Amino acid sequence: MKKKRIATTSLAGCFGCHMSLLDIDERIFDLLELVEFDRSPLNDLKKFTRRCDIGLIEGGCCNEENVHVLREFRQNCDILVAVGQCAMMGGLPVMRNAIMHSDDPLRECLDEAFCTPKVLNPENQIPNDPALPLLLDKVYTCVDVVKIDYQIPGCPPSGETIWRALNALVKNEAPALEYDLIKYD
Amino acid sequence: MEHRKLIETSCSHFNNDPRRMLDILWQIQNSLGWISPDTMELIAQLTNTYRVEVEGVVTFYAFFMSKPQGQFVIHLCEDIIDRYAGMLPVQNAFEQILGIKVGETTKDGLFSLHLTSCIGMSDQAPAALINDMVVTNLSPNKTKILIRTLKKTRNLASLVKTFGDGNNSHELIKSMVNNNILLKGDVLLGDININAGLNKAFSLPPEEVIATVQASNFKGRGGAGYSSAKKWLAAAATQADKRFVICNADEGEPGTFKDRVLLTERAELLFEGMTTVAYAIGSQHGILYLRAEYRYLLPYLESLLTKRRNEGLLGTDILVDETENTRFSFDIRIQLGAGAYICGEETSLISSCEGKRGEPKNKPPFPAVSGYLGYPTVVNNVETFCNIPRIVDKGAEWFTSIGTPESSGTKLLSVCGDCTRPGIYEFPMGITLGEVLSLAGAKDPEAIQIGGASGVMVGRADFERQLCFEDLPTAGAIMIFSSQRNILEIADYFMHFFIEESCGYCTPCRVGNVFLKQGLEKIMAGKGETSDLKYLQDLGKTIIQTSRCGLGHSSPKPILSTMKNFPLVYAALLKEHPDGRQAGFNIQHALDESRIIAKRRSIVFDPDLGGD
């Protein structure tokens, strides 16, 4: 069977989902029998080398770069999978969307983060290096921005969950995750 | 406190009973114009409840004001029928001549302007309430004249130049509202013999009254089509020392105004019907729950109750059987609502009668077993009660000879919208929609909303269907929309209506309806894709399955029924995006704020800087 080509990325996430992928431990060798990795932080490839079968997205979109990368993934992957809570629902970053009854929610968020006396920032400087991507007005989930084919819930999804999902996807099946794997309370 | 005396008097007038909270608040608001925080505090003390309870009630109902209002409070009806009849220019005229926006009060403290849901005047739209006075057939010009007159006379009565037909010109009504009765049937609007049904009922044992109605195959006229006799049997069979009969005159369904006409022209028949049902189930207490929009009928209705008390038809021992040693006493009080659509739902209506927020209760127990204050309660609507004495008087056989096998009798239809003869029609059950349309002079009818916002929207393919329980059931509203109207705009308005009127108790209804509206707006904006239809369908189904009361069970219907009956209207607006991007997401819009804060532009997304 031809190996499936996989790309992964972390947008507004914490890399926890990628860590969780590594939690499949020695099964990573079995995985490499089935797939080969294209663009991914795991191999530090920054660009797509060719079209991929599967794209795994960790994290939602909080800045313009996230949107740009996500659209590239959509363009270059046949199947796009939102992995983890941030990609699906926004996760922790989306808490800033709770500032909704403000005329200028983004400024309020930055003030809260950088200008309250709780942090040592005597000049109340808000980071604004030209190399920093512009923030979006609020945090968007992946499905707000592009079409997503599958979602794997969890914060993070366990290594086992990701392993089962990938196994199904390489066989061109929809990942059917058992209740125990996605039950978190 | 300045108004302490007045508030104390109002509370003690109702025995400081928190269960009469609506009446207390009405009386105080009528004197003071609004309910201030201090007033709420004092009412809470006097009625031995908490301030939040009082505030909860005040803020629940649209007609209770927690901010100071002008001497004349204008509620302009913003229903879709009114909008199509020219309500927006009227709103502009109000705003212009008063110099205020909706929700504001003029500086001289004379006028406040508000928008409100359907006030039951769709046959003479655009219409508005000024305090409890109804003004109809408004135009920008007429609006300006009204305001000028009011400024000069400060007297609402000076607004009515000519009275409406029938009892609308009665001493105690004196309203410009017209009945617009266009077809009289045999049961309700034709010639009737008042009290004949009640007298006959009194000559029969109670169970036989119920048996007659059961034999007539009569079903409740509220739309659900439940056998009224079954409801009564359940209430009669429940052991209790009190039973209640409540008439639901909270006709809030957009496009419906038949109760308005019955209350104006057949109020005695209604009271007769309530008394007949009370006799049949052994009830001593009746409540007529009158929607606040029909407050202009209150003095008239009260006078009829007094008249019937004087005639010995209401009150203590109105029927005494010495041989059997049984006595029957029954009286009716009128509970004025305060502007909440949800109170048309029977358990919400009961909550409201109990002086609480009009929130629905869990069913079961059904009201017939445990309703008002926990007593067995029969809730029927105005049209239902009006039918009962007629059935008892003329017999089950007569009644079943009218209509279809499954649906006996007649049905009142409130017809409005794009037609030359809007008004009230009493048809035998089973009339086809097409016949109704041609009689009403429908102009190029394209879409018909059957049963108001909570009903269904049907197209030409359904014009041959029969209006009856076994085919196309309706609580009475027929809104006609011509091919010039935008069907999605209508569905969108109904969603707006449901969002406004949701009591907010359960999440599927409070949140789900907002999502439904957003989904519809996305399609209207030309950003929808085929997958959005499935989303709307699934979400609508979830709301129907998981909501607590009838509002959430109906609210997705405008969208679901238009999707079903007008698929091409939706399809024409859908566009697929093969690049997999979501049309609803606009990166430029999402970056606007950031560009201002960071004082720089996007290298990725500003095209002149090399972005895409």
Side-chain angles (χ1 to χ4, degrees), chain B residues 327-384:
Chain B
R327 289 161 180 278
F328 172 61
S329 304
F330 179 69
D331 209 338
I332 297 172
R333 78 168 167 96
I334 298 179
Q335 173 70 61
L336 191 61
Y341 167 74
I342 184 69
C343 290
E345 194 275 337
E346 61 176 358
T347 61
S348 308
L349 183 141
I350 290 172
S351 299
S352 188
C353 287
E354 290 167 346
K356 296 189 258 188
R357 290 164 67 85
E359 282 169 354
K361 300 170 188 250
N362 287 336
K363 286 198 265 192
F366 286 90
V369 176
S370 172
Y372 180 65
L373 304 177
Y375 294 107
T377 304
V378 163
V379 184
N380 282 129
N381 81 353
V382 176
E383 190 180 347
T384 301

Side-chain angles (χ1 to χ4, degrees), chain A residues 64 104 128 135 137 143 147, chain B residues 529 580 582 590 593 598 600 602:
Chain A
E64 56 175 341
D104 201 346
N128 191 14
L135 292 175
D137 57 340
V143 78
K147 275 178 222 160
Chain B
E529 297 178 55
Q582 299 283 19
E593 204 178 338
R600 59 193 166 94
S602 165

Side-chain angles (χ1 to χ4, degrees), chain B residues 509-521:
Chain B
C509 175
R510 182 184 67 244
V511 178
N513 286 325
V514 177
F515 285 165
L516 270 185
K517 187 168 191 291
Q518 285 173 351
L520 180 63
E521 279 167 356

Side-chain angles (χ1 to χ4, degrees), chain A residues 64 67-68 71 74 104-107 110 128-130 132-137 140 143-147, chain B residues 529 576-577 579-582 585 587 589-591 593-598 600-605 612:
Chain A
E64 56 175 341
V67 173
H68 182 64
R71 283 176 171 179
R74 181 70 271 182
D104 201 346
L106 182 57
R107 190 181 298 274
L110 291 168
N128 191 14
D129 191 277
L132 289 174
L134 291 175
L135 292 175
L136 304 180
D137 57 340
Y140 293 84
V143 78
D144 285 337
V145 178
V146 298
K147 275 178 222 160
Chain B
E529 297 178 55
E576 299 306 319
H577 297 270
D579 58 4
R581 294 184 183 183
Q582 299 283 19
F585 175 73
I587 182 68
H589 173 78
L591 284 174
E593 204 178 338
S594 210
R595 288 189 185 104
I596 295 168
I597 292 175
R600 59 193 166 94
R601 304 177 64 208
S602 165
I603 297 172
V604 190
F605 292 107
D612 65 2

